[in-house]
Amino acid sequence: MSSRSVGVLLAGGVGQRVGLATPKQLVEVAGRTILEHSLAVFEGAPEIDEIVVLMTPGYTDRVREIVARGGYRKVSKIVEGGASRTESTWRALQALGTEECDVLLHDAVRPLLEPRIIAECVRALRTHQAVNVAIPSSDTVLVAEPVPDGEVIGEVLDRSRLRRSQTPQCFKLSVIREAYERALADPEFGGRPATDDCGVVLRYLPDVPIHLVPGSERNIKITHPADLHIAELLFKLAAEVPVGEGADRAG
């Protein structure tokens, strides 16, 4: 029997870069909040048994209202997020306890996640301990070298091997818990934190391979004001052309 699969929505951000006083995950796009769009994808995914929401402190009651009004039955816990991404993830892991399960950690501000990606991540966790969603880089990536009057190109990286990381980032609970326990025991971790959960595993459990699952160009992260408009257009396009009929396959 396969272990349960838990979707963790990391919604602890404040939305400063979008220029808003309220958390960006509570901004409305295409008729409902960004958080609701993300909740709906996980609620509708047959592979997901349970949902945990990590929310900005002070806004958990608002999330409870959204969950109750929307009838999101899979939501089991709503937890206050921490001061950083890694602290929020650790709070989610503590809320899950120690019983082994599959954990899919997703940025709540990626509301255009496709069900296909969730299905492929859960399938990959049957044979892998860690999984990341990524897409090829369509841009050439340069390494900049500082010079007295600015920067120059130091190196041009091989684009064929470069990927842009997305979420969900997925793990066996025991693996991601151990990685975080090692990180939190490292006095240097606070001064040099990882940018995401795969970074924690890569640094503290280097022998655990992180399998890649193809993401999607649509799976954008809403970070800047322009992203709200892009997301609005993508939702409009999705309504006109259902995912699967002409949707990209990240190639």
Side-chain angles (χ1 to χ4, degrees):
M1 182 179 172
S2 59
S3 59
R4 78 190 198 281
S5 297
V6 183
V8 175
L9 289 180
L10 296 164
V14 179
Q16 289 169 331
R17 279 182 289 184
V18 179
L20 303 164
T22 56
K24 58 190 170 183
Q25 51 274 14
L26 296 179
V27 176
E28 286 205 2
V29 172
R32 55 182 169 179
T33 65
I34 291 168
L35 177 61
E36 285 177 272
H37 285 294
S38 296
L39 273 170
V41 180
F42 280 88
E43 181 75 26
E47 300 84 5
I48 297 297
D49 303 302
E50 186 182 334
I51 301 169
V52 174
V53 182
L54 264 286
M55 189 58 194
T56 310
Y59 291 90
T60 51
D61 285 344
R62 176 74 195 281
V63 176
R64 286 186 186 93
E65 289 169 17
I66 288 170
V67 168
R69 188 177 68 238
Y72 298 106
R73 294 183 184 86
K74 290 182 182 178
V75 176
S76 62
K77 296 180 181 71
I78 297 164
V79 181
E80 280 204 349
S84 65
R85 163 65 181 259
T86 51
E87 191 182 331
S88 291
T89 299
W90 178 240
R91 289 188 181 191
L93 300 179
Q94 288 177 304
L96 286 173
T98 56
E99 185 185 340
E100 186 69 293
C101 61
D102 293 343
V103 184
L104 287 77
L105 297 156
H106 184 63
D107 295 327
V109 289
R110 291 184 187 270
L112 286 135
L113 176 67
E114 296 165 19
R116 184 267 306 170
I117 295 174
I118 293 177
E120 290 190 16
C121 285
V122 171
R123 193 178 309 126
L125 282 173
R126 291 178 194 161
T127 51
H128 302 278
Q129 294 182 301
V131 175
N132 191 21
V133 173
I135 58 174
S137 176
S138 53
D139 297 315
T140 296
V141 179
L142 313 172
V143 177
E145 295 288 348
V147 292
D149 60 344
E151 292 179 332
V152 297
I153 295 175
E155 187 183 352
V156 178
L157 302 180
D158 178 3
R159 193 172 75 184
S160 68
R161 295 182 59 214
L162 298 178
R163 302 290 181 269
R164 285 156 49 204
S165 182
Q166 298 184 335
T167 67
Q169 295 189 344
C170 317
F171 311 90
K172 295 294 183 186
L173 177 60
S174 56
V175 169
I176 190 67
R177 275 187 73 100
E178 184 181 349
Y180 265 87
E181 283 164 2
R182 291 187 183 193
L184 296 172
D186 177 5
E188 294 183 6
F189 181 69
R192 196 170 61 96
T195 54
D196 62 13
D197 303 307
C198 282
V200 177
V201 172
L202 201 62
R203 191 186 305 176
Y204 292 98
L205 293 175
D207 293 335
V208 174
I210 303 172
H211 180 75
L212 291 179
V213 161
S216 166
E217 290 284 355
R218 300 163 59 96
N219 187 20
I220 64 166
K221 185 177 184 181
I222 297 177
T223 305
H224 304 287
D227 300 332
L228 292 167
H229 301 292
I230 295 166
E232 190 88 40
L233 287 169
L234 287 171
F235 275 116
K236 188 165 182 278
L237 286 169
E240 293 169 2
V241 182
V243 171
E245 297 177 27
D248 67 276
R249 289 285 301 204

